[in-house]
Amino acid sequence: MKKILWMFMSLVFGSANAAGTIDFLEVDNDVVLFSTTDAKSTASPACVSADKADLWSASLSSDSGRAIYSLILTTMAKGEGVGLSVSSAQDCADKNGVERASNVSLSQQEVAPAPAPTQTAQHTIMNNLMEINSHRLVSRSGDRSSSPEYFQRLGQFGSGKNLYGTYSSNTKKRLASVSGSGWITSIILPAAEAAGSTVNLEIVVDGELHTFSPTSQFNNVRYSMAVTDGIKDGYLTYSLLSTPEQVVSMGKGIPYMQSFEVWVQMDYPARTDHRYWAIQYLPGYPN
């Protein structure tokens, strides 16, 4: 049984053409692109491109589009059991080839109560420490992690906050100190120059210390806590970082209620083009 929690009264009401939880969200200039886990139930207008048939659009330059975006973030923040119903405007006025959403509503299913997640729960990125080739991380704009632009532009994708910088010595350094509440959605460390290099990573979440001391198995690898998708380019496979909204919608963000800090110390000086690091987080309230 579904119970409607609330709906933006300023939007035009219509029959729902899709429902489900958010499984993709991206901000492209002033247009929000999103999709839901459930397929669209009615035919899309002729303007929709075949490769974008599962997407919806909402313009951030309009009041209704901003309201839709706000409700999407609310849906994602509420987590399990909360879905979004979407109705179509039957045009592609916001983005070429993408069906425009005319109104959305938030609904909640009655689900069995689940235990509150802990910072070390298996579903978070904290339990997904990966070795990724330093050159094989790519962004949605085509930047590779062998360039500073990759780390600088990560914040362009999604609505999370992006911290980045360089680490050039083997001393202990604090990379981040953030107050408030929200989710840590990715931590990408400088690359190990040679196999056998040790990384000491400390994450302090609401005063609780979590330590990691992996030793690299290969040359030029980055230790990362993140969610990535594999992308093939010929015989090479690259890793595309998920947006903060996507990580949170999967339940893989590390929740913090008051603050978090990230510290790192490495036993080697990283080469210039390998020194960059990045941390992404999505401010909010982890219910």
Side-chain angles (χ1 to χ4, degrees):
M1 174 182 179
K2 289 187 175 183
K3 177 176 63 178
I4 302 300
L5 299 180
W6 55 279
M7 183 178 288
F8 283 108
M9 301 302 295
S10 62
L11 304 180
V12 179
F13 293 94
S15 58
N17 302 124
T21 57
I22 299 296
D23 62 0
F24 175 79
L25 180 64
E26 181 174 299
V27 178
D28 183 4
N29 292 322
D30 64 346
V31 177
V32 176
L33 303 176
F34 67 97
S35 64
T36 62
T37 51
D38 293 354
K40 297 179 181 180
S41 59
T42 60
S44 296
C47 62
V48 174
S49 302
D51 61 336
K52 301 174 182 175
D54 61 333
L55 293 178
W56 297 96
S57 69
S59 173
L60 293 176
S61 62
S62 68
D63 290 340
S64 62
R66 288 190 292 271
I68 287 174
Y69 184 47
S70 176
L71 191 51
I72 289 171
L73 295 181
T74 298
T75 303
M76 295 170 64
K78 287 186 175 294
E80 184 182 3
V82 179
L84 195 75
S85 296
V86 189
S87 294
S88 174
Q90 291 299 310
D91 61 42
C92 302
D94 290 338
K95 180 79 173 177
N96 250 358
V98 181
E99 189 169 4
R100 180 168 66 94
S102 66
N103 69 276
V104 296
S105 62
L106 183 66
S107 60
Q108 184 168 18
Q109 290 180 315
E110 294 178 359
V111 295
T118 64
Q119 283 77 18
T120 55
Q122 288 295 323
H123 65 271
T124 71
I125 61 170
M126 194 178 287
N127 291 91
N128 190 34
L129 185 63
M130 304 178 289
E131 266 189 324
I132 301 178
N133 184 285
S134 183
H135 301 286
R136 299 287 179 82
L137 285 168
V138 295
S139 71
R140 285 168 171 77
S141 57
D143 298 308
R144 296 184 184 180
S145 53
S146 54
S147 70
E149 287 76 18
Y150 173 86
F151 299 91
Q152 296 164 1
R153 294 175 182 169
L154 282 179
Q156 296 178 2
F157 310 104
S159 298
K161 302 294 185 181
N162 182 48
L163 305 174
Y164 67 92
T166 59
Y167 176 91
S168 58
S169 69
N170 60 358
T171 59
K172 185 175 181 179
K173 180 178 180 179
R174 184 171 65 184
L175 306 185
S177 179
V178 174
S179 298
S181 61
W183 300 264
I184 309 170
T185 59
S186 70
I187 299 174
I188 303 173
L189 297 178
E193 196 66 26
S197 301
T198 299
V199 177
N200 293 311
L201 172 65
E202 295 181 0
I203 306 173
V204 184
V205 181
D206 296 333
E208 183 178 352
L209 174 63
H210 306 272
T211 61
F212 306 85
S213 298
T215 300
S216 61
Q217 303 300 306
F218 305 98
N219 299 337
N220 300 327
V221 294
R222 293 182 181 276
Y223 275 101
S224 305
M225 288 181 177
V227 178
T228 61
D229 287 326
I231 296 178
K232 294 289 287 184
D233 182 9
Y235 66 93
L236 295 176
T237 300
Y238 293 88
S239 297
L240 177 66
L241 196 69
S242 298
T243 66
E245 291 88 349
Q246 289 173 316
V247 176
V248 171
S249 70
M250 294 178 217
K252 295 183 181 294
I254 302 170
Y256 61 94
M257 303 300 295
Q258 299 173 334
S259 65
F260 77 86
E261 293 185 357
V262 177
W263 295 77
V264 70
Q265 183 172 6
M266 299 180 170
D267 65 358
Y268 58 89
R271 203 172 70 199
T272 302
D273 57 344
H274 290 176
R275 291 176 181 174
Y276 276 86
W277 55 265
I279 297 170
Q280 288 187 298
Y281 64 99
L282 185 67
Y285 189 81
N287 290 336

